[in-house]
Amino acid sequence: MKNRYSWGRMYLLVSLLFVSVMLYAQEERDLKPVSRTYALTNVNIVQAPGRKVDMATLIIKDGLIKAVGKNISIPPEAIIIKADSLYVYAGFIDGLSRTGVIKPKEENKERPKDPGNPPAERAGITPQLDVRNFLSASDKSVEDLRSLGFTTAHVVPYGGMLPGNGAIIQLTGKAPDDMVLIEESSFYSELTPAERVYPATTMAVIAKWRELYRQAALEKNYATLYASNRSGLERPSSSRLLEPFYPVIDKRTPVLFKAEKIWDIHRVLGLQKDLGFSLILAGVKEGWEVTGKLKSSGARIFLSLDLPEEKKEDKKDEKKDDKKEDKKDVPKTMTDAEKEALEKRKAESIANYVSQAVAFQKAGIPFGFSTLDAKLKDIQANLRRIIKAGLTEDQALAALTTTPAQLLGLSDRLGSVDAGKIANLVVSSKPYFNEKSKVKYVFVEGTLYKIESSDAKKDASIVLEGEWSVTADTPQGKRESVVTIRKEGDKYSGKISGARFPQAQDLEEVTLDGNKLKYTFTITEGGNTMKITVEATVEGTTFKGTAAAGQFGNIPVEGKKKPQLKP
């Protein structure tokens, strides 16, 4: 009895998800992590625009693409994904975004005593800020953009004319530092005037930009002179406001300017020509008339995926029309003529917006896409509209993968499905631009994300309350237990029990968002506390997912609902 009691206490640390290191500490001090090796078999691999391998195998290991092609040996430790008839592409790259960036709370902006010379922050001038300080790996926008096939994004902070430095991030990780691929990748700027203080107009913003740049150049030159011979020279002042311009002046860091409208594009190009900095122009919406000027500027371009809504045709009441007289010969009033001309101009403008990418393609200007300001639910449809306007599917794919990789200096790591590159991949049910295509899986640095369709997320037929038989696939074998879930009003609660639990353990949190189940509990023994979090997708009376077990990583877990006994 004494031995049984001892073993029972030890197994208190055994959850349905993993075998505690307390039990195996003497035998195995370092448990092997869950395999990061995957093999996608019988899959159609679009390695890059114009390069495709049908019914092939793709091997992912330790976050990298290890092999692509046919007749490839599958490592014994690989998790095999039978991707029959699915399509694999390189993960998409967003050229300008605020994905995962937390917007600061609006503050009451009091008018300063001298509105013509306000504090820099009040004027929207904060180039010393770093977007990394505002990143949240758990922000829903990260998951939402990733579900479309995007795996990398060039993100920038919120703010005025000079919000701060941007960064290139991966849409994965548990903390901001986990996400960052390239820090301080850009010096972000907008032509956004300040509110009720200088610079309060677009022209004033441009004037202030020139002033700061030239002042920074003088300070930098003096600092360089002082560093070469300090004798007899006054120590240069330190300025957090001007020092961020130094790498811009040296052309080590590009200026990333958001410029949507045609006149803003002209203004930014004029500023670049005057000062000579390296330029990335993003969020472009009206660039089709200045392709020649843009090409000669050498600016790197990211076109906006925010398109105007398509005009819906009015449905006429045929019965009423049949009763109307033929009005072909009736002269139009001036109002009718003006209205028709206005509608024609609107239609032409929309057509120009949608076919902008085609104009850039014809002009021979490399471009990527930006999701900033675009509604994520419209992005795939907008891409199809652009293709319908004349851009080929290969050209659209290039603008999502190889071209932005080249424009952002990432071609050695991202942009194509080739051995040695980071395993950023999107797997779809049909060719991506097909209207019926659904994203099934996304890999970001080798981490697998299963993407649920919007239809599954809206499934309201799930009945969570009841008993679930749960199996965890730990490195030491399968472990089983029972999770009992109750519902009171809109809230869930529950317990976990089983042969390895002397008494039921309360669940601290149980939530169901659409078909996404999440529950947590904590085990404490001998002063050691561990929280386990299960996240799974429910499909009818089963669920599959993973459990985060701290330093032991993520462990696969499956659940099956027990049938309720009728009274």
Side-chain angles (χ1 to χ4, degrees):
M1 290 296 293
K2 186 176 181 180
N3 287 338
R4 286 186 180 181
Y5 178 76
S6 176
W7 276 101
R9 284 182 59 80
M10 293 181 75
Y11 273 113
L12 278 174
L13 297 179
V14 181
S15 74
L16 73 163
L17 312 171
F18 68 102
V19 175
S20 170
V21 73
M22 293 290 292
L23 182 62
Y24 295 97
Q26 300 303 317
E27 300 176 11
E28 297 183 27
R29 294 188 179 275
D30 296 313
L31 295 178
K32 294 181 180 179
V34 176
S35 178
R36 294 189 66 207
T37 303
Y38 295 89
L40 279 69
T41 60
N42 295 328
V43 67
N44 301 304
I45 304 173
V46 183
Q47 292 186 263
R51 282 201 292 136
K52 183 183 175 188
V53 185
D54 291 329
M55 303 302 287
T57 298
L58 189 152
I59 306 296
I60 298 167
K61 185 173 183 179
D62 298 330
L64 300 174
I65 299 171
K66 284 296 181 182
V68 182
K70 297 186 177 183
N71 303 318
I72 291 176
S73 299
I74 297 176
E77 73 275 16
I79 298 171
I80 298 175
I81 298 176
K82 295 180 180 179
D84 301 30
S85 302
L86 299 183
Y87 289 76
V88 175
Y89 303 85
F92 303 152
I93 302 170
D94 186 349
L96 175 60
S97 175
R98 288 199 176 97
T99 299
V101 181
I102 304 302
K103 187 175 184 179
K105 294 181 179 179
E106 292 289 339
E107 297 181 359
N108 184 22
K109 296 181 179 180
E110 296 182 0
R111 188 177 175 87
K113 292 181 179 180
D114 184 3
N117 186 30
E121 186 174 354
R122 178 64 179 82
I125 303 171
T126 56
Q128 73 278 10
L129 296 184
D130 192 321
V131 72
R132 288 177 291 177
N133 296 326
F134 307 99
L135 277 177
S136 171
S138 61
D139 192 79
K140 191 174 183 298
S141 62
V142 174
E143 178 186 352
D144 290 344
L145 187 60
R146 187 174 58 219
S147 69
L148 295 175
F150 286 86
T151 57
T152 307
H154 195 169
V155 295
V156 296
Y158 289 89
M161 63 173 281
L162 291 173
N165 287 306
I168 297 174
I169 66 168
Q170 300 278 59
L171 303 186
T172 189
K174 295 183 179 180
D177 286 347
D178 297 337
M179 305 172 74
V180 177
L181 185 64
I182 300 178
E183 70 275 9
E184 297 182 354
S185 57
S186 62
F187 183 87
Y188 182 57
S189 303
E190 296 182 3
L191 295 180
T192 301
E195 295 179 15
R196 300 182 298 150
V197 298
Y198 179 82
T201 66
T202 301
M203 297 309 295
V205 168
I206 293 172
K208 186 65 176 177
W209 216 101
R210 282 195 174 95
E211 175 192 332
L212 291 170
Y213 184 95
R214 287 170 174 157
Q215 188 177 352
L218 290 174
E219 294 284 350
K220 179 179 178 298
N221 289 339
Y222 183 77
T224 302
L225 178 63
Y226 181 82
S228 65
N229 183 9
R230 294 186 289 268
S231 178
L233 293 176
E234 183 181 0
R235 178 177 63 84
S237 60
S238 176
S239 173
R240 296 186 183 183
L241 194 67
L242 299 178
E243 287 169 3
F245 280 89
Y246 292 1
V248 172
I249 294 167
D250 289 340
K251 295 185 179 181
R252 289 183 285 114
T253 300
V255 178
L256 173 59
F257 245 115
K258 177 187 176 185
E260 299 179 357
K261 306 296 184 180
I262 186 169
W263 288 114
D264 287 344
I265 295 170
H266 278 298
R267 289 164 180 144
V268 172
L269 290 179
L271 194 63
Q272 182 215 17
K273 185 177 181 180
D274 185 20
L275 301 177
F277 51 78
S278 177
L279 175 63
I280 299 175
L281 205 59
V284 175
K285 295 182 178 180
E286 296 182 0
W288 59 85
E289 291 185 358
V290 288
T291 53
K293 193 171 183 179
L294 285 168
K295 187 173 184 178
S296 62
S297 73
R300 289 170 273 177
I301 308 295
F302 289 92
L303 306 180
S304 176
L305 281 174
D306 180 28
L307 301 182
E309 292 185 6
E310 290 183 280
K311 183 182 176 183
K312 296 180 180 179
E313 296 292 336
D314 294 330
K315 294 183 178 180
K316 295 182 179 180
D317 190 329
E318 295 181 1
K319 293 182 179 179
K320 290 183 179 180
D321 287 347
D322 290 340
K323 296 178 181 179
K324 290 181 180 179
E325 296 178 359
D326 188 356
K327 296 184 178 181
K328 289 183 179 179
D329 298 328
V330 178
K332 296 179 181 179
T333 66
M334 181 62 71
T335 303
D336 289 337
E338 289 176 347
K339 184 177 180 181
E340 185 176 301
L342 178 61
E343 291 299 320
K344 184 178 180 181
R345 287 197 298 273
K346 285 183 178 179
E348 290 175 350
S349 179
I350 292 173
N352 286 331
Y353 267 81
V354 177
S355 61
Q356 176 176 232
V358 180
F360 276 75
Q361 189 71 39
K362 290 180 178 178
I365 302 175
F367 63 88
F369 286 124
S370 159
T371 68
L372 189 69
D373 298 332
K375 295 177 181 178
L376 295 187
K377 66 181 181 64
D378 295 335
I379 285 179
Q380 284 183 284
N382 286 350
L383 285 166
R384 289 193 293 269
R385 288 173 66 189
I386 292 171
I387 290 169
K388 188 177 179 181
L391 200 69
T392 69
E393 290 190 5
D394 274 351
Q395 291 166 350
L397 180 61
L400 291 167
T401 56
T402 53
T403 302
Q406 180 262 321
L407 294 176
L408 297 175
L410 302 170
S411 293
D412 61 331
R413 290 180 277 179
L414 300 173
S416 64
V417 186
D418 289 301
K421 292 197 173 182
I422 295 174
N424 280 12
L425 305 163
V426 52
V427 184
S428 58
S429 59
K430 296 180 181 294
Y432 183 82
F433 300 111
N434 186 302
E435 189 173 355
K436 295 182 179 180
S437 179
K438 303 290 183 183
V439 175
K440 304 290 287 184
Y441 307 99
V442 172
F443 287 88
V444 189
E445 288 193 303
T447 298
L448 171 63
Y449 297 91
K450 185 177 179 181
I451 310 300
E452 297 299 323
S453 68
S454 57
D455 293 337
K457 291 179 181 179
K458 295 177 182 177
D459 187 355
S461 63
I462 295 172
V463 179
L464 196 59
E465 52 267 42
E467 288 190 346
W468 296 77
S469 177
V470 181
T471 302
D473 190 6
T474 75
Q476 286 73 32
K478 294 186 182 297
R479 297 290 183 264
E480 296 182 356
S481 39
V482 176
V483 170
T484 304
I485 298 176
R486 299 181 298 275
K487 184 178 182 182
E488 295 180 8
D490 294 332
K491 294 185 177 180
Y492 292 97
S493 61
K495 292 180 179 292
I496 177 173
S497 61
R500 302 187 188 282
F501 292 86
Q503 59 185 13
Q505 175 84 22
D506 284 330
L507 301 181
E508 298 170 11
E509 176 188 9
V510 185
T511 61
L512 182 66
D513 183 7
N515 67 338
K516 298 292 186 181
L517 170 64
K518 179 179 178 181
Y519 62 85
T520 64
F521 59 93
T522 301
I523 295 178
T524 302
E525 172 70 15
N528 293 302
T529 300
M530 187 173 297
K531 176 175 273 190
I532 301 102
T533 300
V534 177
E535 294 186 10
T537 300
V538 184
E539 295 182 358
T541 58
T542 63
F543 68 70
K544 287 185 179 182
T546 58
Q551 60 182 318
F552 306 112
N554 293 331
I555 296 173
V557 62
E558 295 184 10
K560 185 175 182 180
K561 194 172 186 181
K562 293 185 175 182
Q564 292 182 338
L565 297 176
K566 295 183 179 180

